[in-house]
């Protein structure tokens, strides 16, 4: 993933630098450099959209092949559809306590009276959990090896007394890797380890902060929150994006919701219908990226028909949108360049005309 980010930054630098150089030859500074940088940035995002469209088309093709029941070949990119089942026992999600097969969790400190509601406090604890599992397809079982990237699975934000108590117990009883230095680099470097796992069992718990647990979770938090059962029986909901701009205007429960850490889980529960894209390992009879490969397993919930529809929409939206923006951008660049050239050509003629002698003086000579 770090290599992929490095390549993206290199492409961005090349595009921005190229457009800035080209605009600098035509337009005066600093306007030429500014507009060149903007044009390069827009082009970079359009190329990214076209890349996403191509990826969606490739995934769509893999699903179409899978529906014909084609034989799985070792080393080939495939799409496998079916229900995801545990080979052994499911695991428990750390905050909700729900049984699951795959879990991504994130704990971020709460927003206090001095923190803006739009300010992102960053993750303090994060982790990836997975139990050995298999995909039950129409042509047999396929093991899921290597932690998959979870796509189209929404975050579940938890603010109940049960979740807070579970989080407190989890932080107190779990051993975490200390990655409290550079958070982004630390988390990104973990993915290559997860993708290369070859037994389907993953336990990666990371601490990204030096703040003590008792500072992240107030001591009386559980007593001031509703339980999961009480929350389900009531109509009250905590909104992470409160309309009030002033912290002092919040009620006691709302204020506590701001002060508490943000508990987030992304789960894949047993029996979920999924489509998984990966590289088939014939020896292990499962989806396993080769060592050193940047092609990770990717999991989407839903039937093949549903996922096909999502991919078709994504492909068309990205391709059409990117092409329209590129056409408008470069059409505007062409007109601006032609206008600049016309002005440049007109300037010498205007100077010559301004320096010419009147006709009467020429005749007198």
């Amino acid at each position: 993933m770090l290599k992929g980010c490095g390549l993206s930054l290199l492409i961005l630098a090349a595009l921005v630098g190229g457009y800035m150089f080209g605009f600098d030859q035509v337009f005066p500074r600093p306007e030429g450099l500014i507009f060149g940088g903007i044009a390069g940035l827009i082009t970079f995002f359009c190329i990214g959209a076209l890349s996403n469209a191509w990826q969606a088309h490739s995934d769509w093709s893999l699903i179409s092949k899978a529906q014909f029941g084609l034989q799985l070949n070792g080393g080939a990119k495939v799409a496998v559809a079916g229900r995801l089942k545990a080979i052994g026992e499911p695991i428990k999600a750390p905050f909700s306590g729900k049984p699951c097969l795959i879990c991504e969790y994130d704990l971020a400190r709460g927003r206090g009276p001095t923190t803006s509601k739009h300010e992102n406090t960053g993750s303090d604890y994060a982790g990836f959990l997975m139990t050995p599992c298999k995909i039950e397809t129409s042509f047999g079982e396929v093991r899921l090896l290597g932690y998959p990237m979870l796509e189209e699975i929404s975050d579940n934000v938890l603010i109940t007394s049960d979740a807070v108590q579970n989080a407190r117990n989890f932080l107190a009883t779990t051993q975490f890797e200390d990655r409290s230095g550079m958070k982004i680099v630390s988390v990104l470097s973990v993915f290559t380890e997860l993708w290369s796992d070859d037994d389907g069992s993953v336990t990666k718990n990371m601490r990204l902060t030096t703040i003590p647990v008792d500072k992240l979770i107030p001591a009386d938090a559980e007593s001031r929150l509703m339980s999961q059962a009480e929350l389900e029986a009531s109509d009250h909901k905590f909104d992470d994006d409160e309309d009030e701009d002033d912290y002092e205007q919040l009620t006691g429960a709302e204020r506590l919701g701001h002060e508490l850490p943000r508990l987030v889980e992304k789960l894949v529960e047993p029996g979920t219908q999924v489509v998984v894209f990966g590289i088939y390992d014939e020896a292990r009879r499962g989806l396993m990226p080769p060592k050193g490969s940047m092609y990770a397993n990717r999991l989407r919930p839903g039937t093949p028909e549903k996922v096909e529809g999502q991919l078709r929409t994504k492909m068309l939206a990205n391709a059409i949108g990117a092409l329209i923006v590129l056409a408008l951008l470069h059409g505007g660049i062409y007109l601006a360049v032609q206008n600049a050239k016309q002005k440049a050509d007109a300037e010498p003629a205007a100077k010559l005309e301004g320096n010419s002698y009147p006709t009467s003086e020429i005749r007198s000579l």
Side-chain angles (χ1 to χ4, degrees), residues 231-246:
L231 183 64
E232 292 174 354
S234 71
D235 295 330
H236 182 81
K237 293 183 179 179
F238 287 100
D239 189 355
D240 192 51
D241 295 320
E242 298 287 352
D243 293 333
E244 294 87 352
D245 291 329
D246 189 357

Side-chain angles (χ1 to χ4, degrees), residues 39-360:
L41 188 62
I42 294 174
T43 302
F44 174 76
F45 286 124
C46 289
I47 291 175
L50 290 174
S51 177
N52 291 335
W54 177 254
Q55 182 65 64
H57 175 267
S58 300
D59 292 344
W60 184 12
S61 301
L62 290 176
I63 295 178
S64 299
K65 293 178 182 178
Q67 289 181 319
F68 286 103
L70 298 181
Q71 185 177 1
L72 297 176
N73 296 318
K77 294 180 181 180
V78 297
V80 178
R83 294 198 177 276
L84 196 63
K85 300 289 185 67
I87 293 177
E89 292 295 324
I91 55 177
K92 271 191 175 183
F95 305 146
S96 65
K98 291 182 178 180
C100 60
L101 304 178
I102 303 172
C103 173
E104 293 181 11
Y105 69 85
D106 181 273
L107 185 153
R109 75 196 69 169
R111 300 193 300 265
T114 60
T115 309
S116 168
K117 74 173 185 176
H118 299 294
E119 181 179 341
N120 185 1
T121 56
S123 299
D124 293 292
Y125 288 85
F128 305 87
L129 309 172
M130 177 177 170
T131 189
C133 49
K134 58 189 177 182
I135 308 165
E136 294 184 342
T137 72
S138 57
F139 50 85
E141 297 177 351
V142 177
R143 295 188 63 192
L144 179 57
L145 304 168
Y147 195 91
M149 297 175 64
L150 304 182
E151 301 178 352
E152 301 298 325
I153 296 180
S154 59
D155 293 341
N156 184 22
V157 182
L158 301 158
I159 306 181
T160 65
S161 60
D162 301 325
V164 172
Q165 182 61 54
N166 290 339
R168 190 193 302 277
N169 294 338
F170 181 73
L171 296 183
T173 59
T174 303
Q175 185 174 359
F176 292 88
E177 297 180 18
D178 185 5
R179 293 179 176 262
S180 55
M182 297 178 65
K183 292 186 179 181
I184 295 179
V185 175
S186 295
V187 174
L188 289 179
S189 64
V190 167
F191 285 101
T192 53
E193 302 175 25
L194 299 176
W195 294 344
S196 60
D197 177 80
D198 61 359
D199 63 359
S201 179
V202 174
T203 303
K204 181 69 69 174
N205 301 301
M206 300 177 293
R207 177 168 59 85
L208 308 173
T209 184
T210 56
I211 299 176
V213 175
D214 58 351
K215 296 293 184 181
L216 291 174
I217 306 178
D220 61 344
E222 294 90 331
S223 62
R224 297 167 61 189
L225 283 174
M226 289 184 287
S227 67
Q228 182 64 34
E230 292 171 336
L231 183 64
E232 292 174 354
S234 71
D235 295 330
H236 182 81
K237 293 183 179 179
F238 287 100
D239 189 355
D240 192 51
D241 295 320
E242 298 287 352
D243 293 333
E244 294 87 352
D245 291 329
D246 189 357
Y247 178 84
E248 297 299 329
Q249 294 179 1
L250 300 177
T251 65
E254 290 169 340
R255 186 177 301 180
L256 180 63
H258 278 239
E259 294 173 349
L260 284 175
R262 190 169 184 266
L263 307 177
V264 180
E265 291 178 343
K266 186 178 290 188
L267 306 178
V268 180
E269 299 181 14
T272 302
Q273 180 77 40
V274 298
V275 176
V276 183
F277 303 94
I279 297 177
Y280 185 68
D281 189 314
E282 193 170 8
R284 293 183 174 91
R285 295 186 178 181
L287 300 179
M288 176 66 200
K291 290 185 178 180
S293 171
M294 295 300 295
Y295 190 90
N297 292 332
R298 294 179 293 113
L299 182 150
R300 280 177 169 258
T303 62
E305 293 77 16
K306 178 182 177 181
V307 174
E308 273 189 313
Q310 293 173 344
L311 293 172
R312 183 168 55 250
T313 301
K314 180 180 179 180
M315 179 188 68
L316 294 175
N318 279 274
I320 295 174
L323 292 175
I324 290 176
V325 171
L326 284 173
L328 292 175
L329 172 65
H330 290 85
I333 291 174
Y334 175 79
L335 294 176
V337 169
Q338 293 301 313
N339 185 48
K341 286 182 177 180
Q342 290 176 1
K343 287 184 178 180
D345 293 340
E347 285 180 0
K351 290 181 180 179
L352 181 62
E353 183 179 350
N355 295 331
S356 61
Y357 293 98
T359 305
S360 59

